[in-house]
Amino acid sequence: MAWSVIEATPPHLTYLILSAFLILYALFSSFIRNRLHLSEPPLATVLGIIIGPDVLNVIDPRAWGLEDSITQELARVVVGVQVFTVGVDLPKAYFNRHWKSVGMLLGPVMVFGWVIVALFVYLLLGTDIPTALIVSACLTPTDPVLAASVLSNSQFSTRVPRRLRHMLSAESGCNDGVSFPFLYAGIFALTSASAGEGIKEWILETVLWQCVFGLAMGAIIGIIANRVLRFSYGNGYIDDSSFLVFYILLAIFSIGVGSTLGSDDFLIAFGAGTGFAWDGWFAKKIAEAHLPNIIDLLLNSSMFVYFGATIPWSGFTPSESTPYVTPGRLTALLVLVLVFRRLPIVLALKRFIPDIKTYREALFCGHFGPMGVGALFLAIEARAQLETGTARPLPSPPKHSPHEGAIDIIRPVICFIVLGSTMVHGLSVAAISVGSHYTKGVNERTPLIGGETEGLTGMVHEGGGGESEPSVSGDEDPDRDD
């Protein structure tokens, strides 16, 4: 009789398991981050795989009716909030001093990665060129969610020069939005009736409306919100709890503006965060609240559990429309993407990126280009445009579509690469920490493996090199050279 009242339904078990995972991680977060050198995404992804439909079958999001449109909106919110957070966390007036370094990463580095990955997709998976460009565009941006999990709030992050952490964070905040022109170049090449029509749509809709207008609109929203909040705070109209909530609400508001206007959600969110915190006032006020860490634990970890539970394992094998998609070819593609997408071009352009001082730093920045939730969002965006000509995807891929091959190949390829990147980049911190431990002399090693706290070797850490930025966004930059 007692057992009849137990309701172990999938949603109820999800609440139980997910919250238990987050509680355990929170209880041992310092040990996991600073001793084991692990971040949340790979652990959350493994949990999602274990409790997902292909292992224990505790959680099956698709059985609940959670289709691609739901995944799209979850990814939109997670990435949008994260890029807003990056904009807020950057030092005061950051882009006035470091626009060239970030510009090189958003320009030549992204273009090179887009082209080289498209070449690998074309050769290994047998796609046409526009489809290869679409798949490559999804993998071009550096994921802000995975970047935040490594670049903030850990012992390892303090061993990396602050200017590199800020540069990589700024890049990850910008390039999810900047990747839209790359994505739509492939889409218009595949769907436009003529080259002239495709170029016209790309310039007017993607470059001007989505990117230029989106970034400007985001900056305006952020600056106005800053002024309004300062007025309300100065006159005692807002209490402390609402002051903190304002941060999250503004992030979601900026996402809502972007999605409603059909503009670039992520550039609007990043522009809003940057404009909101441009003068450093808000960052000083919330320095002790650790809001980004709370966001990482709740939103981002939950998203990677969801991702682990929805990985399309059956899509990693050949089908009629994707005959060259095999585990071996996908693994080869993953290796090529990880090695050639960023490393060669960052090393080659090292002397043109002012914030990269040594080749060891270039090697680190070239390796550290994780692909994650942003890639999943772009994959669904691409599928939606090919399926319906809008940003709204169908519940399932249509049969006998003129773009069936492209539609069927995008999701499994992106999911496989994101899974590999999550594991490789999530475990890189542990590998680097252990490696740096054993490269030291026996008498120089700490008692704990990977327990070193000094700066990584081969990088410049002194003033003007490593400490070129304030620890709090609102502080003045002690080593400004402009």
Side-chain angles (χ1 to χ4, degrees):
M1 185 69 180
W3 291 104
S4 63
V5 302
I6 295 178
E7 297 182 0
T9 63
H12 298 169
L13 289 174
T14 302
Y15 309 148
L16 176 65
I17 295 172
L18 182 58
S19 60
F21 167 74
L22 295 177
I23 288 171
L24 285 173
Y25 187 91
L27 288 172
F28 300 98
S29 57
S30 179
F31 175 78
I32 294 172
R33 278 179 172 269
N34 300 327
R35 291 293 177 263
L36 299 180
H37 300 289
L38 297 174
S39 56
E40 302 101 320
L43 299 177
T45 301
V46 170
L47 175 66
I49 294 171
I50 292 172
I51 64 178
D54 294 286
V55 183
L56 297 182
N57 198 27
V58 175
I59 297 176
D60 186 358
R62 292 194 175 276
W64 307 348
L66 299 186
E67 300 163 347
D68 279 349
S69 59
I70 303 298
T71 304
Q72 181 185 37
E73 298 309 319
L74 290 174
R76 189 195 307 274
V77 171
V78 170
V79 176
V81 170
Q82 191 64 65
V83 298
F84 179 90
T85 300
V86 169
V88 170
D89 283 349
L90 286 175
K92 180 180 178 180
Y94 177 80
F95 286 98
N96 280 353
R97 301 182 299 280
H98 300 274
W99 61 269
K100 185 176 181 181
S101 293
V102 178
M104 291 298 291
L105 295 177
L106 296 178
V109 172
M110 283 189 72
V111 171
F112 176 86
W114 180 48
V115 173
I116 197 70
V117 172
L119 178 62
F120 296 148
V121 172
Y122 174 76
L123 294 176
L124 280 173
L125 303 182
T127 68
D128 54 37
I129 293 176
T131 300
L133 291 173
I134 293 171
V135 173
S136 177
C138 298
L139 301 173
T140 298
T142 299
D143 190 66
V145 178
L146 283 167
S149 70
V150 175
L151 294 175
S152 62
N153 191 38
S154 69
Q155 178 178 299
F156 176 82
S157 67
T158 63
R159 304 183 65 194
V160 179
R162 194 177 296 151
R163 65 187 149 73
L164 293 184
R165 302 202 311 264
H166 287 148
M167 181 186 70
L168 292 172
S169 292
E171 180 202 8
S172 71
C174 294
N175 64 9
D176 274 288
V178 174
S179 62
F180 272 67
F182 299 101
L183 180 70
Y184 277 89
I187 291 174
F188 288 143
L190 192 63
T191 60
S192 297
S194 66
E197 180 186 343
I199 293 172
K200 176 184 175 181
E201 287 183 282
W202 184 77
I203 293 174
L204 294 178
E205 295 182 17
T206 306
V207 176
L208 295 180
W209 179 254
Q210 292 192 352
C211 295
V212 176
F213 171 79
L215 189 59
M217 174 60 70
I220 292 170
I221 291 172
I223 292 169
I224 293 175
N226 177 284
R227 297 291 181 264
V228 171
L229 182 62
R230 292 187 75 149
F231 171 81
S232 180
Y233 183 83
N235 288 278
Y237 297 151
I238 188 170
D239 57 29
D240 291 340
S241 59
S242 298
F243 187 87
L244 294 177
V245 170
F246 188 88
Y247 174 100
I248 303 296
L249 295 179
L250 181 60
I252 296 175
F253 175 79
S254 62
I255 297 168
V257 170
S259 57
T260 301
L261 295 179
S263 188
D264 191 326
D265 321 61
F266 303 145
L267 276 181
I268 287 185
F270 179 73
T274 304
F276 182 57
W278 187 260
D279 59 4
W281 173 77
F282 184 76
K284 281 185 175 181
K285 295 295 182 183
I286 66 162
E288 299 301 320
H290 300 293
L291 277 177
N293 302 331
I294 297 171
I295 293 171
D296 285 347
L297 185 62
L298 293 177
L299 271 182
N300 302 344
S301 298
S302 301
M303 184 65 203
F304 276 95
V305 172
Y306 178 84
F307 166 64
T310 57
I311 294 174
W313 300 101
S314 61
F316 301 156
T317 55
S319 68
E320 183 178 348
S321 59
T322 58
Y324 296 103
V325 175
T326 65
R329 288 175 179 264
L330 288 174
T331 302
L333 178 64
L334 172 63
V335 173
L336 291 171
V337 168
L338 292 176
V339 174
F340 292 103
R341 171 172 157 263
R342 284 171 60 94
L343 270 172
I345 189 66
V346 174
L347 288 170
L349 296 178
K350 173 253 175 189
R351 59 176 167 169
F352 301 107
I353 305 176
D355 283 322
I356 297 180
K357 308 294 184 183
T358 69
Y359 280 102
R360 183 69 64 87
E361 293 180 0
L363 190 64
F364 177 82
C365 294
H367 165 73
F368 195 77
M371 297 155 281
V373 182
L376 299 177
F377 176 87
L378 292 173
I380 298 176
E381 177 84 7
R383 276 189 51 194
Q385 290 292 338
L386 296 177
E387 291 171 353
T388 67
T390 70
R392 296 182 297 276
L394 296 174
S396 59
K399 298 298 182 183
H400 310 299
S401 165
H403 311 301
E404 182 178 359
I407 291 170
D408 289 345
I409 204 171
I410 290 173
R411 184 165 181 261
V413 172
I414 299 305
C415 286
F416 189 92
I417 301 297
V418 168
L419 175 62
S421 177
T422 301
M423 296 305 165
V424 170
H425 290 104
L427 299 176
S428 291
V429 171
I432 294 172
S433 299
V434 172
S436 66
H437 176 84
Y438 283 107
T439 55
K440 294 180 178 296
V442 175
N443 296 329
E444 298 176 344
R445 298 173 186 169
T446 59
L448 292 173
I449 296 177
E452 285 77 12
T453 57
E454 72 278 5
L456 293 173
T457 57
M459 298 184 179
V460 179
H461 297 273
E462 283 71 30
E467 301 304 323
S468 62
E469 294 295 345
S471 58
V472 177
S473 302
D475 292 346
E476 294 300 327
D477 186 337
D479 296 301
R480 289 180 63 168
D481 54 9
D482 58 341

